[in-house]
Amino acid sequence: MSKIIVTGGCGYIGSHTCIALLAQGHEVVVFDDLSNATKESIDRIEKIAGKRPELCIVDLKNKNATSAAFEAHKEALAVIHFAAYKAVKESVDHPLQYYENNFFSLINTLTAQQKLGINNFIFSSSATVYGMPETCPVTEKSPVSTPFSPYGNTKKIAEEILKDHTAANLDFSVISLRYFNPIGAHESGEIGELPNGIPNNLMPYITQTAAGIREKLMVFGNDYPTKDGTAIRDYIHVMDLAEAHVVAVNRLVDQKQEQNFEIYNLGTGTGYSVLEVITAFETQNNLSINYEITARRDGDVPVVFASTELASKKLGWTAKRDLNSMVKSAWNWEKNYRKND
Ligand code: UDP
C-alpha cells in the first residue's frame, strides 16, 4: 500500500480523486486549508470509500507549516496537487491573491518534497492553457497561448515552473493533467461540486437553477459558428477524471513514465453545445430549466474539445461515462445536498 498526499483533497476534484485512490488500495493523506471546502468532505469520503483519509489542515502558502506537514508524512510516495484558487472571475478581480496562493503553495510543496525525496508529482492543470485554440481536437502539441485570466495564467506559469524543476532534477517526475470541463458527481450523491457564491460554471448554475436557488440560467451567446449557435465544450465526468489521476500516480510510483515531465489532456474527445447540455439535463432528470439567451461572455471560445489519443496510448486511460451520466449525477448530488433546506 502506498501513501499518497492529496493537497486540496477536500475540494471538488480532490475529494473524488481520494475515493478513486482509496478504491485502488492507496493510503490517502489530505492537506487542505479548508479555505474553499469543509472537513465534512472527509466524512463523506469515508462514507463512500469505507476508509478514512487522514486530514492535515495546513496553509501551503506558509513555508514552515508546509515543511512540517510533509515531514510528518515523509514516507509518502507521491503528491497530487489540487490546492489552488480556481474562480476565473475572482482571479480577474484579485490577481495578486491568485498569484500568491497558487504559486506559493506550489513552490512550498515542491521544496518540501525535494527536501524529503518525495519524487512524484501530479499537477492539476487546465485546457485554459491553450487559450483560443486554432483547431480542434486540441492535442498536447497545440500551442500554449496567453490564457484569458490570471487563474489560467497561474496554470500556464505553474507548468513552466514544473518544466524547469524537472529539467534541473532528473529524479523528480511530474505528470501535468490538463482538464477540459469536469462536471457531475459521485453516483452516491454524497460529494459533488459546491461553488462559493454564484456559480461561474455551467453545470452548477444549471443544478442550482433546477433547485430554485437561481431564478434563471443565462446562456452566453447563440451566434457562435456551431450547429445551434451556442458554444461547444468537452465535458468530462469527474469520476473519469478522478480515475485518470490514479492511473497517472501509479505510472509514476511504478516508474513507468517515459519522460520526467509528461502532459496529458483529460477530456472525452466529444464536444457538446450549451443547449445540448441543457436538453440532456432536462431529459435525463425529467424537469425543465428556466433559461434565456444573452450576449456572449468575454473571453469565451466558440469550440474546444480534446484529442484523447495521447492519454489513451500512454496512460491506457479513456473516459467511460457519457453526458447522460454526468447530468444525472450532477442533479442527484444537488438534490441530495439540498434535501434538508
Ligand atoms: N455558460 C453559460 N451560462 C453560464 C455559465 C456558462 O452559457 O451561466 C457557457 C459558457 O459560455 C461556455 C460553457 O457554458 O460556453 C461552459 O462554461 P464554463 O464556465 O462551465 O466552463 P469554461 O469552458 O468557460 O471553462
Side-chain angles (χ1 to χ4, degrees):
M1 188 158 76
S2 39
K3 186 188 265 196
I4 311 295
I5 292 171
V6 180
T7 76
C10 289
Y12 174 44
I13 302 172
S15 59
H16 287 82
T17 300
C18 288
I19 288 166
L21 286 165
L22 291 165
Q24 291 276 312
H26 290 292
E27 185 187 345
V28 175
V29 181
V30 169
F31 286 4
D32 204 302
D33 67 356
L34 302 179
S35 60
N36 193 22
T38 64
K39 283 199 279 218
E40 227 200 325
S41 287
I42 301 292
D43 301 330
R44 290 168 177 255
I45 293 167
E46 183 181 18
K47 195 167 163 190
I48 297 166
K51 282 176 259 175
R52 190 175 181 83
E54 183 177 336
L55 172 63
C56 171
I57 300 173
V58 54
D59 177 1
L60 299 174
K61 292 195 297 305
N62 181 319
K63 191 171 182 176
N64 291 337
T66 303
S67 170
F70 272 91
E71 186 67 44
H73 298 284
K74 55 173 164 240
E75 70 283 17
L77 294 184
V79 174
I80 308 182
H81 186 59
F82 293 105
Y85 291 162
K86 59 167 188 179
V88 173
K89 167 80 171 61
E90 193 180 63
S91 79
V92 173
D93 295 340
H94 304 285
L96 290 184
Q97 279 175 27
Y98 270 67
Y99 289 121
E100 180 191 38
N101 185 64
N102 293 4
F103 293 142
F104 284 13
S105 64
L106 172 68
I107 291 166
N108 290 339
T109 296
L110 294 173
T111 305
Q113 283 186 244
Q114 189 169 35
K115 202 167 122 202
L116 298 168
I118 304 173
N119 281 335
N120 297 314
F121 186 85
I122 307 290
F123 182 63
S124 178
S125 189
S126 166
T128 188
V129 301
Y130 296 114
M132 178 132 8
E134 271 159 29
T135 52
C136 278
V138 179
T139 76
E140 290 79 353
K141 290 205 163 71
S142 299
V144 164
S145 84
T146 309
F148 296 109
S149 67
Y151 155 75
N153 215 22
T154 67
K155 295 297 179 190
K156 175 173 173 269
I157 296 169
E159 285 195 350
E160 289 164 7
I161 292 171
L162 291 167
K163 185 163 169 257
D164 291 344
H165 186 56
T166 48
N169 298 279
L170 295 180
D171 54 356
F172 192 82
S173 291
V174 172
I175 294 181
S176 183
L177 299 173
R178 290 177 177 166
Y179 313 152
F180 280 66
N181 288 62
I183 60 170
H186 187 266
E187 58 176 9
S188 63
E190 286 292 332
I191 55 167
E193 188 170 11
L194 194 57
N196 240 339
I198 302 171
N200 286 303
N201 296 112
L202 180 63
M203 188 47 64
Y205 212 105
I206 291 179
T207 57
Q208 292 194 9
T209 305
I213 298 158
R214 310 284 154 209
E215 196 205 325
K216 193 189 279 182
L217 168 73
M218 294 298 177
V219 173
F220 299 137
N222 70 344
D223 56 352
Y224 286 108
T226 62
K227 51 196 158 184
D228 61 22
T230 62
I232 289 179
R233 295 287 180 277
D234 186 338
Y235 297 93
I236 173 167
H237 196 299
V238 67
M239 281 311 297
D240 276 324
L241 201 70
E243 286 162 10
H245 288 76
V246 182
V247 172
V249 98
N250 289 343
R251 180 174 173 87
L252 295 188
V253 168
D254 297 340
Q255 301 196 328
K256 295 272 168 56
Q257 70 274 21
E258 290 168 24
Q259 287 156 359
N260 75 328
F261 182 41
E262 296 182 339
I263 295 175
Y264 297 100
N265 285 342
L266 297 183
T268 64
T270 304
Y272 289 103
S273 73
V274 176
L275 290 181
E276 283 175 325
V277 174
I278 296 172
T279 304
F281 188 89
E282 292 181 323
T283 313
Q284 291 300 315
N285 298 313
N286 205 15
L287 43 75
S288 96
I289 295 291
N290 187 20
Y291 73 87
E292 184 184 315
I293 309 285
T294 178
R296 292 183 182 192
R297 182 171 68 178
D298 272 356
D300 270 352
V301 179
V303 179
V304 189
F305 56 92
S307 162
T308 57
E309 227 173 87
L310 194 68
S312 164
K313 195 165 136 202
K314 300 284 183 188
L315 298 179
W317 170 91
T318 46
K320 296 197 288 270
R321 297 160 179 89
D322 63 9
L323 182 65
N324 290 345
S325 155
M326 298 179 214
V327 295
K328 267 201 278 199
S329 64
W331 179 231
N332 185 39
W333 146 250
E334 186 80 49
K335 254 189 328 195
N336 193 37
Y337 183 74
R338 308 278 168 197
K339 68 177 184 261
N340 298 323
D341 283 5

